């Protein structure tokens, strides 16, 4: 689904990510782990086309998208949920979803219902101003809004940051349900190792912009990830 081959990128004269190889299979979650400053978000920006790749290639469904602009990659099925539980704070939760859904007509309405089935607690909050929701509720809303676009690849940047554990569990259960259906691939950046690795088909650990460890996901994989992060 998504393949990075030797991707190098950075800001100005500074190279932050060095020759990263990474694969996100169809219908699976791949996690990118690492401490602050490891280059995780910078790598995502290269995937999204927000930063140009100085070397290497980004392929989506086998097609080279390295030179495509961000909006062109979005049209090919990429959706992005950045850090920070972002929403249109003065709009209601319903209006946040409609901002996207109206552009897709009947499909948008159907996908909205499907997203709300994943996060049923949002149904009782649709009339509430998004800025008044809790951090976990705003994160669920942000993910739901991204799903309304009908993506093939969902890119998540630290979705568990600052959220209470029970809501994090709900978010990861929803992600697992989506990937299990086989239609959606997920690229996840996360610092919560246990959640990320348990739900991932595979993961990499970044340090100073380089992959220092790779592993298969699952309930027993967290120890290896923590050991790599301690290096």
């Amino acid at each position: 689904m998504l393949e990075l081959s030797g991707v190098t990128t950075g800001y100005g004269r500074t190279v932050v990510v060095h020759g990263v190889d990474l694969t996100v299979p169809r219908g699976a979650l791949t996690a990118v782990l690492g401490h602050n400053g490891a280059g995780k978000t910078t790598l995502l920006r290269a995937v999204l086309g927000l930063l140009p790749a100085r070397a290497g290639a980004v392929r989506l469904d086998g097609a080279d998208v390295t030179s495509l602009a961000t909006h062109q990659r979005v049209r090919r099925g990429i959706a992005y949920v950045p850090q920070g539980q972002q929403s249109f704070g003065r709009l209601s939760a319903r209006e946040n979803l409609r901002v996207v859904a109206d552009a897709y007509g009947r499909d948008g309405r159907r996908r909205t219902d499907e997203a709300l089935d994943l996060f049923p607690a949002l149904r009782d909050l649709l009339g509430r101003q998004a800025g008044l929701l809790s951090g976990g509720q705003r994160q669920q809303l942000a993910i739901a809004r991204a799903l309304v676009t009908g993506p093939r690849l969902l890119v998540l940047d630290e979705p568990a940051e600052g959220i209470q554990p029970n809501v994090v569990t709900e978010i990861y259960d929803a992600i697992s349900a989506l990937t299990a259906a086989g239609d959606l691939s997920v690229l996840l950046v996360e610092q919560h190792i246990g959640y990320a690795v348990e739900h991932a088909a595979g993961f990499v650990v970044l340090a100073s912009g380089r992959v220092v460890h790779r592993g298969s996901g699952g309930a027993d994989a967290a120890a290896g990830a923590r050991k790599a992060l301690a290096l």
Side-chain angles (χ1 to χ4, degrees):
M1 174 57 178
L2 176 71
E3 182 182 3
L4 308 184
S5 303
V7 169
T8 296
T9 191
Y11 305 90
R13 297 183 179 180
T14 303
V15 176
V16 177
V17 170
H18 305 263
V20 169
D21 296 327
L22 177 70
T23 299
V24 183
R26 184 178 304 280
L29 184 154
T30 297
V32 179
L33 310 175
H35 297 298
N36 288 334
K40 304 185 302 298
T41 297
T42 300
L43 180 64
L44 292 191
R45 291 175 66 83
V47 170
L48 296 161
L50 296 170
L51 280 176
R54 301 184 183 186
V58 180
R59 295 182 178 86
L60 187 65
D61 278 340
D64 191 333
V65 299
T66 312
S67 62
L68 296 187
T70 299
H71 71 275
Q72 293 172 308
R73 302 187 196 198
V74 169
R75 287 174 184 168
R76 290 183 178 229
I78 298 179
Y80 176 44
V81 181
Q83 287 178 279
Q85 305 102 44
Q86 296 189 15
S87 62
F88 301 105
R90 294 187 178 183
L91 300 182
S92 69
R94 179 181 288 106
E95 290 167 335
N96 267 265
L97 295 170
R98 280 183 176 172
V99 164
V100 179
D102 285 351
Y104 293 90
R106 183 178 299 174
D107 285 340
R109 294 188 291 273
R110 173 180 55 80
R111 292 171 191 156
T112 298
D113 285 337
E114 291 171 351
L116 291 173
D117 287 342
L118 285 171
F119 302 114
L122 288 178
R123 289 192 182 275
D124 294 331
L125 302 169
L126 290 175
R128 185 173 300 181
Q129 192 172 332
L132 300 179
L133 300 177
S134 70
Q137 291 163 348
R138 287 196 305 274
Q139 187 66 287
Q140 290 177 327
L141 178 61
I143 296 172
R145 191 173 61 231
L147 292 173
V148 172
T149 68
R152 291 181 293 157
L153 174 67
L154 180 63
V155 180
L156 300 173
D157 194 354
E158 302 210 19
E161 182 183 28
I163 297 176
Q164 60 194 55
N166 66 307
V167 179
V168 174
T169 298
E170 292 175 4
I171 288 172
Y172 273 97
D173 285 347
I175 293 170
S176 293
L178 290 167
T179 55
D183 296 327
L184 182 69
S185 303
V186 178
L187 176 59
L188 168 76
V189 158
E190 188 59 273
Q191 291 197 53
H192 289 262
I193 297 172
Y195 285 110
V197 173
E198 179 179 349
H199 291 81
F203 68 93
V204 299
V205 177
L206 289 188
S208 300
R210 293 178 170 85
V211 175
V212 296
H213 182 75
R214 299 179 184 274
S216 299
D220 300 326
R226 291 190 175 94
K227 183 177 179 180
L229 286 166
L231 293 176

